[in-house]
Amino acid sequence: MKKYLNPLLFILLILIVVLALNYQLHHFSALRNAEGIINDMRPLVIWDIRLPRILLAVITGASLALAGNAMQGVFQNPLASPGLLGSANGSTTASVFLLYYFSLPTTLLLLGGVIGALASFTLVYFIAHKQSSTVMILSGVAVNMLLGSAIALLLSNAQSPWALAELYRWLQGSLVWAKTETLLWSLPILLLGIFCLFQQRRYVDFLTFGEETAATMGINPKRSFFLTALGVALLVGATIPQTGTIGFIGLIAPHFARILLKKRPSQLYLTSGLIGALTLLIADLCVQYIPFFSHIYIGTLTAIIGAPVLIWILLTQQRRLARD
């Protein structure tokens, strides 16, 4: 069954994408414009509205899941998340700053988010790269707290209630800003991030035996850690400016992949990416088409789903430690 898991997840993803593209599409087949002329709006709805949003959901969910799997592999901890080393808050802080003080096109906002993610990760790495992984995590926590305070400061200084409302909406996470142009601009950055993770896939496997053992297997731990964390920063930085803050996907998707496959971290990337893409796409469809979720931001919905899963992970880890 395990060898068929990825094909099944991929087929399920394609089916949901096709259904989402064609859902109630006939309602747009004959709409009257201001002059009373009947037009077929289905191509516009598919190519300009639905497809960019679906692709953004799939790409963002997969990217966060890949980043989460890398962090969990590096730190050998199922509670590690993509933003552990500050990249998520760095991208968020840069995006909030640019949104509030400048009127920039989304492509430049994307670039700012990537720079913010890389800058915050570089700061964490500079502080703790000669120390243990525990110090690295603590440095990430400290930088995340600093950046969180910076975000709060920016929001508290907002002069316009409309600007504050728009920033708050963005921080809750949403896919309504999906644009094909921005997706195309982000694609090279995402591919570079994936390449970094793929190139260092043996590193996260060898870490299961300990960092000292990994070093005896022809791995340069410092270099491999830097490249892996760099890939995570690129994936996070290229998605957050397009969606706002979306949490828990990078935490729960790799964990479920690990439960289903029970394989090495490098063998979980594809499964984690598919689960992440499916999770975020289904969550976005719930927000769009189910009335009960219509007033909930997708970032809030993923938190509602992810928080109980996090509690379950903690309880599972506690029971496992008690048995050992």
Side-chain angles (χ1 to χ4, degrees), residues 96 100-101 151-168:
V96 168
Y100 182 72
Y101 287 104
I151 294 170
L153 181 64
L154 289 171
L155 293 176
S156 64
N157 288 332
Q159 301 296 320
S160 168
W162 291 278
L164 181 61
E166 188 65 21
L167 287 173
Y168 176 79

PDB file of all heavy atoms in Angstrom, residues 96 100-101 151-168:
ATOM      1  N   VAL A  96       4.876  43.343   5.681  1.00  0.00           N
ATOM      2  CA  VAL A  96       4.034  44.326   6.378  1.00  0.00           C
ATOM      3  C   VAL A  96       4.627  45.725   6.229  1.00  0.00           C
ATOM      4  O   VAL A  96       3.895  46.695   5.974  1.00  0.00           O
ATOM      5  CB  VAL A  96       3.898  43.946   7.872  1.00  0.00           C
ATOM      6  CG1 VAL A  96       3.278  45.089   8.666  1.00  0.00           C
ATOM      7  CG2 VAL A  96       3.053  42.691   8.022  1.00  0.00           C
ATOM      8  N   TYR A 100       2.670  48.712   4.215  1.00  0.00           N
ATOM      9  CA  TYR A 100       2.202  49.895   4.943  1.00  0.00           C
ATOM     10  C   TYR A 100       2.831  51.193   4.432  1.00  0.00           C
ATOM     11  O   TYR A 100       2.157  52.199   4.280  1.00  0.00           O
ATOM     12  CB  TYR A 100       2.494  49.732   6.436  1.00  0.00           C
ATOM     13  CG  TYR A 100       1.990  50.911   7.248  1.00  0.00           C
ATOM     14  CD1 TYR A 100       0.625  51.084   7.452  1.00  0.00           C
ATOM     15  CD2 TYR A 100       2.867  51.848   7.775  1.00  0.00           C
ATOM     16  CE1 TYR A 100       0.151  52.164   8.176  1.00  0.00           C
ATOM     17  CE2 TYR A 100       2.405  52.935   8.503  1.00  0.00           C
ATOM     18  CZ  TYR A 100       1.048  53.082   8.702  1.00  0.00           C
ATOM     19  OH  TYR A 100       0.566  54.160   9.410  1.00  0.00           O
ATOM     20  N   TYR A 101       4.133  51.169   4.166  1.00  0.00           N
ATOM     21  CA  TYR A 101       4.827  52.411   3.849  1.00  0.00           C
ATOM     22  C   TYR A 101       4.994  52.679   2.359  1.00  0.00           C
ATOM     23  O   TYR A 101       5.297  53.803   1.964  1.00  0.00           O
ATOM     24  CB  TYR A 101       6.216  52.420   4.507  1.00  0.00           C
ATOM     25  CG  TYR A 101       6.157  52.615   6.001  1.00  0.00           C
ATOM     26  CD1 TYR A 101       6.348  51.549   6.867  1.00  0.00           C
ATOM     27  CD2 TYR A 101       5.895  53.871   6.554  1.00  0.00           C
ATOM     28  CE1 TYR A 101       6.288  51.721   8.245  1.00  0.00           C
ATOM     29  CE2 TYR A 101       5.833  54.060   7.922  1.00  0.00           C
ATOM     30  CZ  TYR A 101       6.031  52.983   8.768  1.00  0.00           C
ATOM     31  OH  TYR A 101       5.963  53.149  10.120  1.00  0.00           O
ATOM     32  N   ILE A 151       6.434  43.646  14.040  1.00  0.00           N
ATOM     33  CA  ILE A 151       5.141  43.613  13.358  1.00  0.00           C
ATOM     34  C   ILE A 151       4.083  44.327  14.187  1.00  0.00           C
ATOM     35  O   ILE A 151       3.301  45.130  13.667  1.00  0.00           O
ATOM     36  CB  ILE A 151       4.718  42.159  13.074  1.00  0.00           C
ATOM     37  CG1 ILE A 151       5.676  41.504  12.073  1.00  0.00           C
ATOM     38  CG2 ILE A 151       3.292  42.106  12.531  1.00  0.00           C
ATOM     39  CD1 ILE A 151       5.465  40.016  11.919  1.00  0.00           C
ATOM     40  N   ALA A 152       4.063  44.037  15.497  1.00  0.00           N
ATOM     41  CA  ALA A 152       3.099  44.693  16.382  1.00  0.00           C
ATOM     42  C   ALA A 152       3.309  46.201  16.405  1.00  0.00           C
ATOM     43  O   ALA A 152       2.342  46.981  16.438  1.00  0.00           O
ATOM     44  CB  ALA A 152       3.218  44.109  17.788  1.00  0.00           C
ATOM     45  N   LEU A 153       4.578  46.640  16.376  1.00  0.00           N
ATOM     46  CA  LEU A 153       4.882  48.070  16.363  1.00  0.00           C
ATOM     47  C   LEU A 153       4.377  48.728  15.089  1.00  0.00           C
ATOM     48  O   LEU A 153       3.799  49.828  15.124  1.00  0.00           O
ATOM     49  CB  LEU A 153       6.390  48.273  16.512  1.00  0.00           C
ATOM     50  CG  LEU A 153       6.883  49.724  16.537  1.00  0.00           C
ATOM     51  CD1 LEU A 153       6.335  50.444  17.765  1.00  0.00           C
ATOM     52  CD2 LEU A 153       8.415  49.770  16.544  1.00  0.00           C
ATOM     53  N   LEU A 154       4.578  48.066  13.963  1.00  0.00           N
ATOM     54  CA  LEU A 154       4.089  48.607  12.695  1.00  0.00           C
ATOM     55  C   LEU A 154       2.569  48.737  12.703  1.00  0.00           C
ATOM     56  O   LEU A 154       2.015  49.740  12.231  1.00  0.00           O
ATOM     57  CB  LEU A 154       4.538  47.712  11.541  1.00  0.00           C
ATOM     58  CG  LEU A 154       6.025  47.739  11.179  1.00  0.00           C
ATOM     59  CD1 LEU A 154       6.350  46.637  10.173  1.00  0.00           C
ATOM     60  CD2 LEU A 154       6.417  49.094  10.609  1.00  0.00           C
ATOM     61  N   LEU A 155       1.896  47.741  13.249  1.00  0.00           N
ATOM     62  CA  LEU A 155       0.431  47.783  13.286  1.00  0.00           C
ATOM     63  C   LEU A 155      -0.067  48.860  14.243  1.00  0.00           C
ATOM     64  O   LEU A 155      -1.053  49.551  13.959  1.00  0.00           O
ATOM     65  CB  LEU A 155      -0.119  46.414  13.699  1.00  0.00           C
ATOM     66  CG  LEU A 155       0.097  45.267  12.718  1.00  0.00           C
ATOM     67  CD1 LEU A 155      -0.418  43.957  13.303  1.00  0.00           C
ATOM     68  CD2 LEU A 155      -0.588  45.548  11.389  1.00  0.00           C
ATOM     69  N   SER A 156       0.608  49.021  15.385  1.00  0.00           N
ATOM     70  CA  SER A 156       0.161  50.016  16.366  1.00  0.00           C
ATOM     71  C   SER A 156       0.357  51.442  15.875  1.00  0.00           C
ATOM     72  O   SER A 156      -0.335  52.363  16.325  1.00  0.00           O
ATOM     73  CB  SER A 156       0.909  49.816  17.692  1.00  0.00           C
ATOM     74  OG  SER A 156       2.298  50.063  17.522  1.00  0.00           O
ATOM     75  N   ASN A 157       1.292  51.632  14.937  1.00  0.00           N
ATOM     76  CA  ASN A 157       1.539  52.967  14.396  1.00  0.00           C
ATOM     77  C   ASN A 157       0.722  53.273  13.146  1.00  0.00           C
ATOM     78  O   ASN A 157       0.907  54.329  12.537  1.00  0.00           O
ATOM     79  CB  ASN A 157       3.031  53.134  14.076  1.00  0.00           C
ATOM     80  CG  ASN A 157       3.877  53.253  15.330  1.00  0.00           C
ATOM     81  OD1 ASN A 157       3.403  53.721  16.361  1.00  0.00           O
ATOM     82  ND2 ASN A 157       5.128  52.819  15.247  1.00  0.00           N
ATOM     83  N   ALA A 158      -0.136  52.356  12.766  1.00  0.00           N
ATOM     84  CA  ALA A 158      -0.950  52.579  11.567  1.00  0.00           C
ATOM     85  C   ALA A 158      -1.873  53.777  11.764  1.00  0.00           C
ATOM     86  O   ALA A 158      -2.652  53.814  12.723  1.00  0.00           O
ATOM     87  CB  ALA A 158      -1.757  51.325  11.259  1.00  0.00           C
ATOM     88  N   GLN A 159      -1.780  54.748  10.890  1.00  0.00           N
ATOM     89  CA  GLN A 159      -2.584  55.956  11.000  1.00  0.00           C
ATOM     90  C   GLN A 159      -3.977  55.784  10.413  1.00  0.00           C
ATOM     91  O   GLN A 159      -4.942  56.375  10.896  1.00  0.00           O
ATOM     92  CB  GLN A 159      -1.865  57.116  10.283  1.00  0.00           C
ATOM     93  CG  GLN A 159      -0.488  57.427  10.825  1.00  0.00           C
ATOM     94  CD  GLN A 159      -0.508  57.906  12.251  1.00  0.00           C
ATOM     95  OE1 GLN A 159      -1.382  58.677  12.646  1.00  0.00           O
ATOM     96  NE2 GLN A 159       0.454  57.454  13.051  1.00  0.00           N
ATOM     97  N   SER A 160      -4.081  54.989   9.383  1.00  0.00           N
ATOM     98  CA  SER A 160      -5.352  54.822   8.694  1.00  0.00           C
ATOM     99  C   SER A 160      -6.035  53.534   9.145  1.00  0.00           C
ATOM    100  O   SER A 160      -5.417  52.469   9.130  1.00  0.00           O
ATOM    101  CB  SER A 160      -5.128  54.780   7.174  1.00  0.00           C
ATOM    102  OG  SER A 160      -6.300  54.344   6.506  1.00  0.00           O
ATOM    103  N   PRO A 161      -7.303  53.601   9.548  1.00  0.00           N
ATOM    104  CA  PRO A 161      -8.013  52.364   9.931  1.00  0.00           C
ATOM    105  C   PRO A 161      -8.172  51.404   8.759  1.00  0.00           C
ATOM    106  O   PRO A 161      -8.217  50.191   8.946  1.00  0.00           O
ATOM    107  CB  PRO A 161      -9.370  52.875  10.427  1.00  0.00           C
ATOM    108  CG  PRO A 161      -9.527  54.239   9.829  1.00  0.00           C
ATOM    109  CD  PRO A 161      -8.152  54.788   9.710  1.00  0.00           C
ATOM    110  N   TRP A 162      -8.239  51.963   7.542  1.00  0.00           N
ATOM    111  CA  TRP A 162      -8.362  51.094   6.363  1.00  0.00           C
ATOM    112  C   TRP A 162      -7.060  50.344   6.115  1.00  0.00           C
ATOM    113  O   TRP A 162      -7.075  49.162   5.778  1.00  0.00           O
ATOM    114  CB  TRP A 162      -8.735  51.938   5.144  1.00  0.00           C
ATOM    115  CG  TRP A 162     -10.123  52.479   5.245  1.00  0.00           C
ATOM    116  CD1 TRP A 162     -11.303  51.848   4.949  1.00  0.00           C
ATOM    117  CD2 TRP A 162     -10.477  53.779   5.723  1.00  0.00           C
ATOM    118  NE1 TRP A 162     -12.372  52.660   5.204  1.00  0.00           N
ATOM    119  CE2 TRP A 162     -11.903  53.872   5.681  1.00  0.00           C
ATOM    120  CE3 TRP A 162      -9.754  54.879   6.185  1.00  0.00           C
ATOM    121  CZ2 TRP A 162     -12.590  55.006   6.073  1.00  0.00           C
ATOM    122  CZ3 TRP A 162     -10.449  56.015   6.582  1.00  0.00           C
ATOM    123  CH2 TRP A 162     -11.845  56.065   6.520  1.00  0.00           C
ATOM    124  N   ALA A 163      -5.931  51.033   6.291  1.00  0.00           N
ATOM    125  CA  ALA A 163      -4.641  50.362   6.141  1.00  0.00           C
ATOM    126  C   ALA A 163      -4.466  49.291   7.210  1.00  0.00           C
ATOM    127  O   ALA A 163      -3.983  48.189   6.929  1.00  0.00           O
ATOM    128  CB  ALA A 163      -3.506  51.383   6.230  1.00  0.00           C
ATOM    129  N   LEU A 164      -4.889  49.602   8.437  1.00  0.00           N
ATOM    130  CA  LEU A 164      -4.785  48.628   9.528  1.00  0.00           C
ATOM    131  C   LEU A 164      -5.648  47.403   9.247  1.00  0.00           C
ATOM    132  O   LEU A 164      -5.215  46.259   9.459  1.00  0.00           O
ATOM    133  CB  LEU A 164      -5.207  49.269  10.846  1.00  0.00           C
ATOM    134  CG  LEU A 164      -5.138  48.382  12.093  1.00  0.00           C
ATOM    135  CD1 LEU A 164      -3.704  47.920  12.326  1.00  0.00           C
ATOM    136  CD2 LEU A 164      -5.662  49.138  13.310  1.00  0.00           C
ATOM    137  N   ALA A 165      -6.863  47.647   8.730  1.00  0.00           N
ATOM    138  CA  ALA A 165      -7.759  46.528   8.409  1.00  0.00           C
ATOM    139  C   ALA A 165      -7.178  45.659   7.300  1.00  0.00           C
ATOM    140  O   ALA A 165      -7.272  44.426   7.353  1.00  0.00           O
ATOM    141  CB  ALA A 165      -9.133  47.070   8.005  1.00  0.00           C
ATOM    142  N   GLU A 166      -6.570  46.291   6.314  1.00  0.00           N
ATOM    143  CA  GLU A 166      -5.985  45.531   5.211  1.00  0.00           C
ATOM    144  C   GLU A 166      -4.773  44.720   5.680  1.00  0.00           C
ATOM    145  O   GLU A 166      -4.606  43.560   5.280  1.00  0.00           O
ATOM    146  CB  GLU A 166      -5.563  46.484   4.088  1.00  0.00           C
ATOM    147  CG  GLU A 166      -5.126  45.796   2.802  1.00  0.00           C
ATOM    148  CD  GLU A 166      -6.250  45.026   2.128  1.00  0.00           C
ATOM    149  OE1 GLU A 166      -7.427  45.331   2.406  1.00  0.00           O
ATOM    150  OE2 GLU A 166      -5.936  44.125   1.328  1.00  0.00           O
ATOM    151  N   LEU A 167      -3.951  45.318   6.540  1.00  0.00           N
ATOM    152  CA  LEU A 167      -2.809  44.592   7.079  1.00  0.00           C
ATOM    153  C   LEU A 167      -3.259  43.420   7.945  1.00  0.00           C
ATOM    154  O   LEU A 167      -2.692  42.331   7.891  1.00  0.00           O
ATOM    155  CB  LEU A 167      -1.928  45.536   7.908  1.00  0.00           C
ATOM    156  CG  LEU A 167      -1.093  46.553   7.124  1.00  0.00           C
ATOM    157  CD1 LEU A 167      -0.414  47.530   8.069  1.00  0.00           C
ATOM    158  CD2 LEU A 167      -0.059  45.860   6.256  1.00  0.00           C
ATOM    159  N   TYR A 168      -4.296  43.660   8.758  1.00  0.00           N
ATOM    160  CA  TYR A 168      -4.814  42.590   9.604  1.00  0.00           C
ATOM    161  C   TYR A 168      -5.349  41.455   8.745  1.00  0.00           C
ATOM    162  O   TYR A 168      -5.112  40.273   9.035  1.00  0.00           O
ATOM    163  CB  TYR A 168      -5.921  43.138  10.499  1.00  0.00           C
ATOM    164  CG  TYR A 168      -6.576  42.075  11.345  1.00  0.00           C
ATOM    165  CD1 TYR A 168      -5.979  41.604  12.509  1.00  0.00           C
ATOM    166  CD2 TYR A 168      -7.814  41.540  10.972  1.00  0.00           C
ATOM    167  CE1 TYR A 168      -6.578  40.627  13.282  1.00  0.00           C
ATOM    168  CE2 TYR A 168      -8.426  40.558  11.738  1.00  0.00           C
ATOM    169  CZ  TYR A 168      -7.802  40.111  12.895  1.00  0.00           C
ATOM    170  OH  TYR A 168      -8.402  39.134  13.648  1.00  0.00           O
TER     171      TYR A 168
END
